[in-house]
Structures are given as C-alpha cells and as structure tokens.
Amino acid sequence: MSQGYTDRRITLKHLVIDHQRMVGIKFYPDKVIQALIKQLPEPKWSEKYQMVVLKNEPEVIDQIFQKFKGIAWIDCRHFFANRPVNNGNEALSVDHYRKRTPQKNWKYCPEEFYQKLEIRGYSFNTAKVYIPLFEKFINHFKSVENLLEINEYDIRHYLQHLVVTKHSDSYINQSINAIKFYYEVVKEMPNRFYTVERPIKKESLPKVISKEAILKMIESCHNIKHRCILSLLYSTGLRRSELINLKLSDIDSDRMMIMVRQGKGKKDRYTLLGNKMLKELRTYYQYYKPKTYLFEGPDGGPYGATSVGRIVSQAAKRAGIQKRITPHMLRHSFATHLLEAGTDLRHIQTLLGHNSSRTTEAYTFVALKGLTKIQNPLDLP
C-alpha cells in the first residue's frame, strides 16, 4: 500500500555551514522523498545536523516546493519569518542610539538592526533591552567581521561566559532573545539557533497582599489623584504601563468597562470599571481636568512610571506594611482575589490579557479559598 500524502512531511531549517547560508531538509526515511531530494541541485548529507543540506538560494527554495507539491507536507514554521507590521501605534524611533558619540574599540548595532526594530513596531522598552545586549554580544566577538560566521558553539560558549560571570537567568534569556532577533528576524533566518538551550525557567509564585492591606493603602491617600491611581491598579488588574497610557476616551461609563489599548503584545482588551471607581474618577476629573490622558504629567503627557511606583511604595509605608510593594503586586492581588471570590479562570485570563491559560493558572497556587478550611495536622483530635 503506497504512503499517502498526509503521511509524508519534510521540515525546512536555516543553517550556516562554512560561513555559507544553507537550507536543511529534515524528514523520516522514505524512498519517495529520498528520490525527489536527489533531483534537487547539489544535495549533501550533514552528519553534524543529521539532515540533507542545500544552498540557500531563491531558485533552490522554489525547486523544493515544486518537487514536493502534492507529495509531502512542507513544514516552514522554522524557515519563513513572521512579518508583523506596525499596527497604528506610535512609531518607534531609536535615533537616540544611532546618534551616540562613537567610542573607540566598541562595535555598535548595524543599521539594519535599528531599522527592523522600527519597521516591526517593537516597543521602546524592548529596544532598550535588545540594543545593549546585542552590542555586548558582538563585542565579545570583536575579531569577527561577518556575524554569520558565529555558530551555535560560539553562542553556547558566550552564554557559558555569562553564567560564569554571575549574570541572572533573566539577563541570559534576554541576551538570547536579542541574539535571535538579529539572526532570525533581521537576517530572516527563523530558528537559526534552535540547538541553543535556555536556562531552566524558575517557577516563582505571584506576590500577593491581602485586600485589607490594599484598602489601608488606598485610605492612607489624601491626594485624590494618588488614590485613583492605587484604586485603578487594584480594581482593574492593569499593568503600570497600561495605566499611564489610559486616555479619557478609554473610560466607558455606559458599559462600565475600561478599554486597554495596545497592552503587552500589542493587544486591545477590556477590563472592569466598578461603581465606586467611577465615582472616584468623576471627583478626580472635576478637580484636575485632564485633557487627553487620564493621568497627566506637568507637560500634559502621560504620568511618569516612576511616580506611580513611588505612590504605591509610600502608601504601603503609611499603611504599616513592612515589605516592599510594587504596582505589579496589585495586579497579582486583583487576579488572586477574583479567583478566591469564585470568578472563572478564563474570565480572569481575559481581564489580564494573558495569551496562555497556563500563565493565569499560577494564581491557583496562591489563592487561599479552600486551603484555610483544611485543619492543620497538629490541631487534629
């Protein structure tokens, strides 16, 4: 019985062998696939990668698709770059980095690195992370002119250097992201370094404080603006960046919802607007008269992120809370308290803007509902 079309599959990979861009073809042993591969231009077997390799040229790619059309499924997920475009949010400019005064013996990001960050509409926070980390990487290989010459072994050696020099797992992961951005996005070689391993992710629980403690923090605020900032962070689950970018037009009092525009991952979503919160916001509006942003700085732009953090920490001190409290802990507390009140986990996921339910499930480990009813073994009769 002949093998059906749906049973055959080949996977394309990006490789660099002897400083030359190559296409790797990975497949399970199959006489039909092997026969077709032999008809492609100059196929070679790579012992290192355990796959057939060919020159990465447009005409070769075309021939691969022509040969296997209707015969095998071609898995291109690791080969063709995903090309999101700037979706209407404020355009990113990294001119600050372009216009730096050059320092002797320091290699800077290539212009194409800057351009790709701008064209694809990455956030400025991402750019601030990627640019210095990638520059640290290329300066580790000062003698290498062509960055395509750097291979998986070199990168693993560099990551080992970061481990030895006591850099955090987060720093190492961000370094990998910056490196992969250059090779996989800028140079359009997706999954170029698919053999590079990341540090094992530490599973840490969300830091949560009680509702009583949060109410004490809010009550300690005599400034209505500060009071609204604290209340919104807790009652909506907003991230700090989302809070300071809220506009007056995002408050929908008819539907009792707040529109969160271009949150993390550039996604729009809605979150809750409570009756008490709406009343507080109306009082705040009458006093401050903001024009565009809900919370505005002295220049009429968004309120400062540092100022929000200071409001939270100072309110915690006034409330007698000894540990350090951050704006994000109010977001965690929002989700945990909703879960303890019986809110469906999927609804909480939607309100928080999580892509995966696994992220939201972390709150099940800190929610106390049910656990407080369990009798301690020492107290058992």
Side-chain angles (χ1 to χ4, degrees):
M1 188 175 186
S2 63
Q3 191 177 29
Y5 165 56
T6 55
D7 294 329
R8 294 194 180 98
R9 175 188 294 267
I10 65 171
T11 302
L12 304 186
K13 301 275 189 179
H14 275 286
L15 302 171
V16 174
I17 299 175
D18 295 331
H19 314 317
Q20 185 176 14
R21 292 178 61 164
M22 306 291 284
V23 182
I25 302 181
K26 195 172 185 177
F27 61 95
Y28 289 107
D30 179 276
K31 291 181 180 180
V32 174
I33 291 177
Q34 290 169 330
L36 291 174
I37 285 176
K38 288 179 181 178
Q39 298 175 28
L40 296 170
E42 301 181 50
K44 296 178 182 178
W45 176 256
S46 169
E47 286 292 338
K48 178 179 178 180
Y49 296 106
Q50 290 293 296
M51 61 182 79
V52 172
V53 296
L54 304 96
K55 290 181 180 179
N56 190 339
E57 297 172 348
E59 54 271 22
V60 174
I61 306 298
D62 288 342
Q63 286 192 46
I64 291 173
F65 279 90
Q66 290 170 10
K67 290 290 182 185
F68 290 98
K69 183 178 180 180
I71 297 173
W73 173 261
I74 304 177
D75 186 347
C76 305
R77 289 174 298 170
H78 308 300
F79 197 79
F80 291 118
N82 181 24
R83 302 170 184 261
V85 295
N86 193 309
N87 49 11
N89 57 313
E90 186 177 347
L92 167 71
S93 172
V94 292
D95 281 346
H96 164 75
Y97 290 96
R98 286 191 179 97
K99 295 174 181 178
R100 287 173 291 173
T101 303
Q103 294 181 13
K104 190 177 181 181
N105 297 324
W106 183 258
K107 294 172 72 173
Y108 292 88
C109 280
E111 174 60 24
E112 57 184 347
F113 194 98
Y114 300 140
Q115 288 179 354
K116 192 65 79 169
L117 283 168
E118 292 171 334
I119 291 170
R120 290 181 60 139
Y122 278 75
S123 72
F124 186 65
N125 285 336
T126 300
K128 283 197 301 183
V129 172
Y130 281 12
I131 292 171
L133 289 179
F134 187 68
E135 288 183 352
K136 185 168 183 180
F137 167 71
I138 59 179
N139 279 278
H140 187 81
F141 298 96
K142 270 192 168 69
S143 60
V144 179
E145 291 297 327
N146 182 1
L147 296 180
L148 289 180
E149 295 178 11
I150 299 174
N151 57 35
E152 283 89 341
Y153 174 80
D154 297 325
I155 292 181
R156 284 199 295 268
H157 180 78
Y158 174 70
L159 297 177
Q160 182 62 32
H161 162 73
L162 295 182
V163 172
V164 171
T165 51
K166 307 296 183 183
H167 285 85
S168 68
D169 289 350
S170 174
Y171 184 96
I172 294 170
N173 269 315
Q174 289 176 330
S175 297
I176 293 173
N177 290 341
I179 294 165
K180 287 168 75 68
F181 173 77
Y182 176 74
Y183 289 102
E184 300 189 356
V185 179
V186 177
K187 304 306 289 185
E188 298 190 348
M189 301 173 67
N191 225 31
R192 162 78 168 86
F193 296 114
Y194 60 90
T195 61
V196 173
E197 296 180 355
R198 293 179 180 271
I200 295 174
K201 187 176 180 180
K202 293 182 175 67
E203 297 291 340
S204 56
L205 293 177
K207 294 180 180 178
V208 174
I209 54 178
S210 69
K211 181 177 179 180
E212 292 72 24
I214 294 172
L215 292 178
K216 284 182 181 179
M217 289 172 61
I218 295 171
E219 289 166 4
S220 75
C221 287
H222 301 296
N223 181 306
I224 185 62
K225 185 174 188 176
H226 295 179
R227 187 183 180 93
C228 282
I229 285 172
L230 270 173
S231 299
L232 264 180
L233 284 170
Y234 172 61
S235 68
T236 61
L238 290 172
R239 300 177 177 92
R240 178 175 10 191
S241 60
E242 294 168 345
L243 174 96
I244 61 178
N245 284 300
L246 279 181
K247 294 184 178 180
L248 295 172
S249 56
D250 296 329
I251 308 301
D252 188 345
S253 58
D254 292 331
R255 298 177 63 201
M256 295 302 290
M257 302 294 285
I258 296 175
M259 179 71 169
V260 185
R261 300 183 187 278
Q262 301 298 292
K264 189 174 181 180
K266 295 188 177 177
K267 295 176 299 184
D268 292 346
R269 73 178 192 279
Y270 282 100
T271 189
L272 308 173
L273 174 62
N275 289 312
K276 291 180 181 178
M277 190 70 253
L278 179 60
K279 185 178 178 181
E280 290 270 67
L281 286 175
R282 283 173 172 163
T283 304
Y284 155 75
Y285 179 80
Q286 290 298 321
Y287 189 83
Y288 278 90
K289 296 288 194 301
K291 293 180 173 59
T292 303
Y293 292 95
L294 183 60
F295 301 111
E296 294 179 338
D299 60 350
Y303 200 60
T306 303
S307 297
V308 172
R310 191 180 301 118
I311 289 168
V312 173
S313 61
Q314 289 177 352
K317 288 178 183 177
R318 288 195 301 270
I321 301 172
Q322 299 299 316
K323 61 184 178 181
R324 179 173 175 265
I325 305 298
T326 67
H328 213 71
M329 289 172 70
L330 299 181
R331 173 176 163 87
H332 289 324
S333 301
F334 161 83
T336 305
H337 297 165
L338 282 182
L339 188 61
E340 289 175 341
T343 306
D344 189 282
L345 199 64
R346 288 171 297 180
H347 294 154
I348 297 173
Q349 178 185 347
T350 301
L351 292 171
L352 293 175
H354 286 162
N355 276 331
S356 169
S357 60
R358 289 186 61 187
T359 308
T360 319
E361 285 166 6
Y363 297 107
T364 61
F365 295 100
V366 291
L368 296 178
K369 185 181 179 182
L371 295 180
T372 53
K373 297 178 181 178
I374 300 174
Q375 196 169 5
N376 190 287
L378 286 175
D379 298 329
L380 290 172

